[in-house]
């Protein structure tokens, strides 16, 4: 008969059951009172586990924290304690401190096990996090212990915790306000990104982005990237770098300090001179922070990002990352790859790419060809369409834009106006209005006529955009073969130069005069008036129309004041439902109350038919 042997966990619980809370308090007081009770240390450490009852774990934790904090500056480092030298083997004090150091490392590891365990009590996890951060503060001889902090972040990122776990919220809300913690967070994230990138062997996910859906975490690497992204987004930006800026520090004698002796110079201390701790200037702190911030983000962006993280990064990149980079042009490879993907991803990358082009002198070949390719009906229903239309208006604002390019955009938008919702038509009218005002060379699109004169003018405009005489003369030969009343514009062409937009017209805008939505037809009429009197009008603000929808149009119509309201007004009281003018040749009369209604014209026609029949009979 087989006997059931108790497991190690059961034996451990049975051992813990022998002690009460008062016993643990007594063990802790003995440990703190005399070195003779140092053997209580391993016993108290055995209660620091995720499976221990929270009250017991908390009582042991408080005693151990009070024991280790005063000893930390005197303990050797973990690397030194792992290897004994011949001189130190006979030193009892060194052996004792080395042993205490090993127990401290075990204590830290037990705390890490509790803090990343989602089944542990939340209040206990908060206390454990605070204890770990206290060790980070003074664990390195009174200085910032970056190794413990890196182990904390490494365990959080590589654990099974969700990225919205309370631990991440506690870490961000309580400690990311300190400038030195942010500094070491960036250093740790750079290392973590490199380690995650080395483990990720799927290098082609970015090329297989699904621009229509949102991926859920598929693996532990995806979950780690989600947590990295969440923590990076929760780090507040640098407040300022002027001399009046003040930064809160978790350890005042940390990385942002330097030693200064009594004579005012820094560097190696001379004999007989005392040193003071001087905090670096805000400008030097900001410079250091920018370098670490840049390295952390560049390392993160080199990872294979899940689609939802990828989109979230692109949306916020121009606001929360680019202004704080030491060299924003380092993002050009990431942004150009994103812009080349197409679809919604390209729309999201456009904001950051536009900032690099306008503020940091980035040269991007074929930028307008890529921008032209984004003009599809689906863009008018995209989530970020408002920002896209504003950027589109800004990109087409330059007076140096070639006439063929402005005409291609103008004609493409005009063609889209007959296939998009009314809100999209309003945005298109505003964009076309601004294009026609900025580029007088494309005013021929407003009223294009068939004939040699117009053809010559258009050919000359297009030839100015190309240095090749053969290409400049070919549109003239093509125009001669185009039949009148046939639109030569090719909306399927991706190259704006080959769309034949300069030989077309904006007939689609003219059809919007009869649009079923009143605001669209009214806006078209105002466009015609504005183009007639250019001196008295200005450009239209695209921002006022870029975020429109059916709901906004309906709301504007409801709030609109109507000067003339149509009323059912009659000069005389109606005596019948249908007037005689609606039924010419017909009369509706009542001979008496009992007779039925008869039609006079029907009786007359019957008499006419009878007379005609009698004449035929007499003739026969």
């Amino acid at each position: 008969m087989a006997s059931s042997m108790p497991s190690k966990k059961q034996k451990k619980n049975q051992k813990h059951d022998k002690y009460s809370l008062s016993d643990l308090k007594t063990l802790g007081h003995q440990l703190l009172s005399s070195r003779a009770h140092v053997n209580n240390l391993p016993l108290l450490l055995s209660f620091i586990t995720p499976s221990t009852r929270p009250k017991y774990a908390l009582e042991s934790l408080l005693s151990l924290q009070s024991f280790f904090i005063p000893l930390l500056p005197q303990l050797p480092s973990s690397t030194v304690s792992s290897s004994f030298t011949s001189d130190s083997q006979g030193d009892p004090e060194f052996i004792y401190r080395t042993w205490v150091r090993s127990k401290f490392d075990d204590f830290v590891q037990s705390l890490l096990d509790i803090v990343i365990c989602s089944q542990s009590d939340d209040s206990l996890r908060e206390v454990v996090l605070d204890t770990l951060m206290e060790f980070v503060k003074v664990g390195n001889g009174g200085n910032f212990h970056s190794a413990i902090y890196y182990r904390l972040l490494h365990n959080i990122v590589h654990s099974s915790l969700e990225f919205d776990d309370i631990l991440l919220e506690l870490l961000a809300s309580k400690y990311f306000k300190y400038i030195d913690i942010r500094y070491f967070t960036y250093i740790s994230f750079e290392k973590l990104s490199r380690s995650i990138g080395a483990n990720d062997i799927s290098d082609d996910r970015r090329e297989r982005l699904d621009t229509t859906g949102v991926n859920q975490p598929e693996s532990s690497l995806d979950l780690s990237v989600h947590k990295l992204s969440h923590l990076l987004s929760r780090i507040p930006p640098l407040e300022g770098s002027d001399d009046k800026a003040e930064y809160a520090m978790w350890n005042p004698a940390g990385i942002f300090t330097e030693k200064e002796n009594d004579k005012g110079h820094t560097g190696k201390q001379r004999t007989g001179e005392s040193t003071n701790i001087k905090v670096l200037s805000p400008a030097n702190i900001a410079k250091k922070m920018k370098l670490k911030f840049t390295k952390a983000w560049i390392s993160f962006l080199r990872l294979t990002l899940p689609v939802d993280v990828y989109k979230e990064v692109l949306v916020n990149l121009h606001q929360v990352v680019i202004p704080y980079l030491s060299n924003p042009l380092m993002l050009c490879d990431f942004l150009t790859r994103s812009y080349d993907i197409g679809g919604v991803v390209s729309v999201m990358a456009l904001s950051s790419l536009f900032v690099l082009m306008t503020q940091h002198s980035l040269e991007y070949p074929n930028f307008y060809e890529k921008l032209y390719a984004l003009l599809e009906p689906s863009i008018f229903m995209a989530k970020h369409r408002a920002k896209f239309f504003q950027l589109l208006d800004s990109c087409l604002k330059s007076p140096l834009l070639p006439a063929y390019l402005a005409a291609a955009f103008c004609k493409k938008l005009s063609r889209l106006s007959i296939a998009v919702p009314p809100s999209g038509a309003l945005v298109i009218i505003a964009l076309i209005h601004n294009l026609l005002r900025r580029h007088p060379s494309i005013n021929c699109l407003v009223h294009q006529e068939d004939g040699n004169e117009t053809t010559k003018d258009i050919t000359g405009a297009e030839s100015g955009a190309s240095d090749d005489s053969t290409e400049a003369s070919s549109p003239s030969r093509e125009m001669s073969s185009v039949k009148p009343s046939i639109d030569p514009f090719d909306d399927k062409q991706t190259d704006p130069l080959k769309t034949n937009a300069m030989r077309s017209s904006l007939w689609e805008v003219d059809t919007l005069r009869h649009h079923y939505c009143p605001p669209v037809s009214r806006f078209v009429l105002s466009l015609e008036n504005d183009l007639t009197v250019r001196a008295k009008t200005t450009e239209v603000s695209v921002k006022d129309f870029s975020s429109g929808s059916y709901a906004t149009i309906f709301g504007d119509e409801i709030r609109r004041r109507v000067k003339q309201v149509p009323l059912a007004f009659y000069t005389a009281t109606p005596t019948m439902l249908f007037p005689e003018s609606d039924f010419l040749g017909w009369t509706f009369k009542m001979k008496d109350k009992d007779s039925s209604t008869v039609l006079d014209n029907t009786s007359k026609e019957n008499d006419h038919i009878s007379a005609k029949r009698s004449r035929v009979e007499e003739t026969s």
Side-chain angles (χ1 to χ4, degrees), residues 89-307:
Q89 287 182 359
D91 186 2
E93 185 66 21
F94 180 81
I95 295 175
Y96 169 74
R97 291 180 181 178
T98 302
W99 179 80
V100 173
R101 178 71 198 198
S102 65
K103 295 305 176 185
F104 173 75
D105 294 338
D106 295 340
F107 180 44
V108 171
Q109 184 58 49
S110 299
L111 293 179
L112 292 174
D113 293 338
I114 294 177
V115 81
I116 64 173
C117 180
S118 57
Q119 284 76 29
S120 300
D121 184 70
D122 289 341
S123 58
L124 176 62
R125 295 172 69 196
E126 183 176 0
V127 175
V128 170
L129 177 63
D130 294 340
T131 302
L132 285 170
M133 294 306 296
E134 284 295 327
F135 292 155
V136 168
K137 184 176 183 179
V138 298
N140 187 20
N143 296 323
F144 197 98
H145 202 304
S146 58
I148 296 179
Y149 187 60
Y150 175 77
R151 288 174 63 190
L152 172 63
L153 293 179
H154 181 275
N155 280 268
I156 292 175
V157 169
H158 289 280
S159 67
S160 59
L161 295 175
E162 296 294 333
F163 58 89
D164 56 350
D165 189 83
I166 187 174
L167 178 64
L168 278 71
E169 180 64 29
L170 288 172
L171 181 64
S173 60
K174 296 182 68 173
Y175 297 104
F176 281 175
K177 60 184 178 182
Y178 299 106
I179 190 71
D180 49 350
I181 289 183
R182 283 186 252 170
Y183 180 84
F184 286 103
T185 302
Y186 291 137
I187 295 177
S188 301
F189 280 178
E190 180 188 0
K191 297 178 181 177
L192 289 171
S193 298
R194 291 180 178 176
S195 65
I196 294 174
N199 295 330
D200 191 359
I201 59 174
S202 57
D203 296 330
D204 59 339
R205 184 186 303 175
R206 185 169 292 145
E207 299 177 1
R208 298 183 287 105
L209 278 175
D210 178 15
T211 59
T212 59
V214 176
N215 276 359
Q216 297 297 328
E218 299 174 354
S219 63
S220 59
L221 289 178
D222 285 341
L223 187 57
S224 299
V225 173
H226 273 85
K227 283 183 279 192
L228 269 179
S229 173
H230 181 74
L231 288 174
L232 268 175
S233 63
R234 293 300 308 275
I235 301 177
L238 201 63
E239 292 83 359
S241 58
D242 53 351
D243 294 336
K244 297 182 180 180
E246 296 182 0
Y247 303 117
M249 295 188 184
W250 181 239
N251 186 348
I255 188 65
F256 297 118
T257 57
E258 59 183 3
K259 293 182 179 180
E260 185 181 34
N261 50 41
D262 291 339
K263 292 187 177 182
H265 59 269
T266 59
K268 187 176 180 179
Q269 182 182 0
R270 296 182 181 179
T271 305
E273 293 180 351
S274 60
T275 58
N276 299 320
I277 301 299
K278 179 183 178 182
V279 180
L280 295 178
S281 65
N284 291 332
I285 293 177
K287 185 177 180 180
K288 282 190 170 186
M289 288 295 296
K290 274 195 171 185
L291 290 174
K292 299 304 178 183
F293 177 88
T294 302
K295 290 182 179 180
W297 268 102
I298 296 301
S299 299
F300 174 73
L301 294 177
R302 287 173 181 165
L303 296 175
T304 304
L305 304 179
V307 179

Side-chain angles (χ1 to χ4, degrees), residues 291-548:
L291 290 174
K292 299 304 178 183
F293 177 88
T294 302
K295 290 182 179 180
W297 268 102
I298 296 301
S299 299
F300 174 73
L301 294 177
R302 287 173 181 165
L303 296 175
T304 304
L305 304 179
V307 179
D308 53 340
V309 175
Y310 196 83
K311 292 181 179 179
E312 183 180 357
V313 167
L314 286 176
V315 169
N316 301 316
L317 203 62
H318 66 287
Q319 294 178 337
V320 301
V321 178
I322 291 181
Y324 307 103
L325 291 176
S326 58
N327 183 14
L329 291 178
M330 297 177 69
L331 290 176
C332 64
D333 292 338
F334 172 78
L335 290 174
T336 51
R337 286 198 305 268
S338 303
Y339 192 62
D340 292 339
I341 290 175
V344 179
V345 175
S346 295
V347 174
M348 295 177 176
L350 182 60
S351 299
S352 302
L353 198 59
F354 182 76
V355 171
L356 294 186
M357 293 176 63
T358 56
Q359 300 179 15
H360 301 281
S361 304
L362 174 66
E363 295 184 3
Y364 182 78
N366 302 325
F367 172 77
Y368 285 99
E369 285 78 359
K370 297 288 185 181
L371 184 62
Y372 182 82
L374 294 178
L375 295 179
E376 298 290 341
S378 59
I379 200 65
F380 292 86
M381 292 170 281
K383 181 180 180 181
H384 305 283
R385 62 184 183 275
K387 185 64 176 178
F388 170 76
F389 292 134
Q390 297 174 34
L391 289 174
L392 177 63
D393 185 60
S394 300
C395 293
L396 300 176
K397 189 173 290 186
S398 173
L400 302 178
L401 210 63
Y404 80 91
L405 195 59
F409 276 93
C410 198
K411 180 60 182 177
K412 181 70 172 182
L413 290 169
S414 178
R415 182 62 57 88
L416 289 172
S417 65
I418 59 179
V420 298
S423 57
L426 292 173
V427 179
I428 288 176
I429 296 171
L431 290 169
I432 292 177
H433 175 275
N434 293 343
L435 282 171
L436 292 174
R437 287 188 59 86
R438 297 166 186 164
H439 308 281
S441 58
I442 65 172
N443 284 341
C444 58
L445 299 179
V446 177
H447 183 67
Q448 191 76 275
E449 295 181 354
D450 296 329
N452 294 329
E453 295 181 359
T454 309
T455 302
K456 292 178 181 179
D457 295 339
I458 298 167
T459 304
E462 288 194 346
S463 62
S466 175
D467 297 332
D468 191 352
S469 60
T470 305
E471 292 183 6
S473 60
S474 60
S476 175
R477 295 194 299 269
E478 292 179 4
M479 183 63 189
S480 61
S481 61
V482 175
K483 297 180 180 180
S485 303
I486 300 297
D487 192 349
F489 176 70
D490 185 4
D491 60 342
K492 305 297 182 183
Q493 179 61 248
T494 59
D495 187 357
L497 181 61
K498 301 177 182 179
T499 56
N500 300 326
M502 286 295 291
R503 294 188 292 278
S504 182
S505 65
L506 302 178
W507 59 267
E508 298 92 348
V509 178
D510 187 65
T511 62
L512 297 181
R513 297 176 182 226
H514 310 288
H515 199 276
Y516 71 90
C517 187
V520 176
S521 58
R522 288 197 301 265
F523 199 20
V524 173
L525 294 177
S526 66
L527 169 65
E528 181 179 356
N529 295 333
D530 290 350
L531 293 177
T532 304
V533 190
R534 290 175 177 269
K536 298 181 181 180
T537 58
T538 58
E539 292 185 0
V540 177
S541 176
V542 177
K543 185 178 181 181
D544 298 337
F545 304 94
S546 58
S547 58

